[in-house]
Amino acid sequence: MANKLKVGIIGLGSMGSTHLDIYSKIKEVEVIAIADSIQSRLDGSSKAEGNISGQAEGGVTGLSAIKYLDGMELIENPDIDVVDICVGTDLHFTFVEAALSKGKHVLVEKPLARTYDEAKQIIQLAEQSSTYVMSAMCLRYWPAWVFLKEAIDSNAYGKCLSLNFKRQTSFPGGAFYSDHNQCGGALLDLHVHDTDFVNYCLGLPEAVFSQGYKGPSGGIDHIATHYIYNQSDLSPLVSSEGSWTMQEGYGFNMSYTANFENGTLSYLLEQDETLKLFRSGSEPESINLKEGMGYEFEIRTFVDEILSGNSTNHDLLRQASETVAIIEAEKTSIETCSLVSIKI
Ligand SMILES: NC(=O)c1ccc[n+]([C@@H]2O[C@H](COP(=O)([O-])OP(=O)(O)OC[C@H]3O[C@@H](n4cnc5c(N)ncnc54)[C@H](O)[C@@H]3O)[C@@H](O)[C@H]2O)c1
């Protein structure tokens, strides 16, 4: 293909390596530059690991790309069309701002930013920019969650009565995850997936009630939240629990249970038949899902949007920013042991 999109990836940790692997399978793009402040990650003598199978598969060995020790230098390269930001969350705002100032398309890992104030600034910059900006909220593209959103939107099994999400893992370790000032603890880093998915499906809750405790990041590393919607219109009962305080060896798991008037959907990552539908009077049914992880569908969508000349989906981007506001309300709820209204 003559004019491939030229991508530069900043940060070659577990997520940067995952993105690198996915780009290598998309024929319309070419990764022409990579940046990491750790030399051994650039030359391939050390490599990050993922916490689910299929993550962090990309490697730099044999990759013909310009290598930078500082992501800011990569952004200065005029040949790069797309900057993919996979550094720690506390650095997202700085790199998004720099990349947009140089007219690059931007994919930024989740959560959109470390704080809601920074997330709002990203929204403003994206609105002023003519390039495509996307927040990598991968769960929105994960086949079992795509199925669930469609079931809710279409009323395929009747009205949704309750939703419960769970995401639990042993502590990931490493400098970034060990400092809640950088990563925001499991509350922001891990649980943000479920809070964002609730926001994506049902819109902003009126309030949240959360409880949690601190863990190895020094911040909230185990959290349980009830998302409060207006009960007068009989909205579903919604809750989620996230943790990275499981003992070593537990690994990673994610699951959901969605109860509808005429069916119950149950997903568990570790099962052979991961998504099941239960309906009274029928045998349990296994749902065939599209093969693949959310990351690849997310990046495919990002590339397709740029190649089609579409402008940023500002509604989805704004939603990712408001998700950070919900997370901050969850933190306040834990600290005050009270119901906290969501004020945007
Ligand atoms: N979508 C998901 O499921 C998912 C999973 C894991 C992590 N993440 C997100 O991805 C981001 C990165 O997480 P990770 O696990 O890959 O972290 P990581 O610490 O493993 O990797 C970050 C990398 O960025 C590099 N870096 C830091 N400052 C830099 C700079 N100025 N220039 C160039 N490189 C620099 C570090 O050396 C490190 O290699 C976080 O925001 C995290 O929340 C998302």
Side-chain angles (χ1 to χ4, degrees), residues 49-52 55 167-174 177-178 185-186 189-190 215-217 221-222 242-254 270:
E49 287 181 7
N51 59 1
I52 10 180
Q55 252 186 13
R167 186 170 302 276
Q168 295 184 315
T169 175
S170 314
F171 183 58
Y177 293 102
S178 300
D189 194 83
L190 180 84
S217 78
D221 287 337
H222 192 133
S243 178
W244 61 31
T245 66
M246 302 295 110
Q247 297 291 310
E248 274 176 38
Y250 178 89
F252 176 90
N253 215 334
M254 57 183 180
E270 295 273 293

Side-chain angles (χ1 to χ4, degrees), residues 65-297:
I66 310 165
K67 294 172 182 171
Y68 298 96
L69 275 166
D70 181 357
M72 286 298 172
E73 284 178 31
L74 179 150
I75 288 172
E76 295 294 326
N77 182 331
D79 295 333
I80 291 173
D81 305 308
V82 173
V83 174
D84 186 336
I85 299 166
C86 294
V87 288
T89 309
D90 54 318
L91 299 173
H92 286 184
F93 169 69
T94 308
F95 279 106
V96 172
E97 184 183 41
L100 289 181
S101 77
K102 294 289 171 189
K104 312 294 187 190
H105 300 291
V106 169
L107 179 64
V108 53
E109 253 311 327
K110 54 58 42 182
L112 181 59
R114 177 64 186 81
T115 64
Y116 181 47
D117 271 352
E118 288 177 348
K120 279 190 290 190
Q121 291 179 62
I122 291 179
I123 298 304
Q124 279 181 356
L125 293 170
E127 281 169 355
Q128 291 155 11
S129 164
S130 57
T131 54
Y132 198 88
V133 187
M134 182 165 144
S135 167
M137 296 304 324
C138 59
L139 212 58
R140 296 176 183 182
Y141 305 89
W142 217 284
W145 276 260
V146 172
F147 188 93
L148 173 58
K149 181 158 192 323
E150 281 171 9
I152 295 170
D153 290 349
S154 67
N155 283 324
Y157 311 112
K159 187 177 149 39
C160 182
L161 303 173
S162 69
L163 291 167
N164 174 262
F165 300 92
K166 237 179 191 185
R167 186 170 302 276
Q168 295 184 315
T169 175
S170 314
F171 183 58
F176 166 65
Y177 293 102
S178 300
D179 179 1
H180 70 105
N181 293 312
Q182 293 178 48
C183 69
L187 167 62
L188 178 66
D189 194 83
L190 180 84
H191 170 76
V192 72
H193 286 291
D194 294 311
T195 290
D196 183 73
F197 193 73
V198 169
N199 187 21
Y200 176 54
C201 288
L202 304 174
L204 274 180
E206 291 191 356
V208 287
F209 181 72
S210 305
Q211 292 186 295
Y213 55 85
K214 289 188 176 180
S217 78
I220 304 294
D221 287 337
H222 192 133
I223 179 163
T225 292
H226 280 279
Y227 305 85
I228 314 296
Y229 285 89
N230 183 349
Q231 288 301 300
S232 63
D233 71 357
L234 300 174
S235 297
L237 188 65
V238 190
S239 59
S240 90
E241 184 173 2
S243 178
W244 61 31
T245 66
M246 302 295 110
Q247 297 291 310
E248 274 176 38
Y250 178 89
F252 176 90
N253 215 334
M254 57 183 180
S255 63
Y256 67 70
T257 306
N259 202 24
F260 297 83
E261 282 172 319
N262 306 315
T264 301
L265 283 171
S266 172
Y267 174 90
L268 183 59
L269 175 70
E270 295 273 293
Q271 279 180 176
D272 287 343
E273 294 164 340
T274 52
L275 181 59
K276 285 198 175 135
L277 170 65
F278 301 86
R279 307 184 88 162
S280 300
S282 307
E283 287 296 309
E285 193 184 319
S286 289
I287 308 280
N288 284 327
L289 293 167
K290 193 156 76 162
E291 296 263 325
M293 304 174 96
Y295 309 120
E296 54 194 89
F297 303 117

Side-chain angles (χ1 to χ4, degrees), residues 4-9 20 23 29-35 63-68 74 77-82:
K4 292 192 176 197
L5 266 184
K6 296 187 176 59
V7 176
I9 302 177
L20 184 60
Y23 286 121
V29 306
E30 184 183 3
V31 174
I32 67 157
I34 50 176
L63 181 75
S64 151
I66 310 165
K67 294 172 182 171
Y68 298 96
L74 179 150
N77 182 331
D79 295 333
I80 291 173
D81 305 308
V82 173

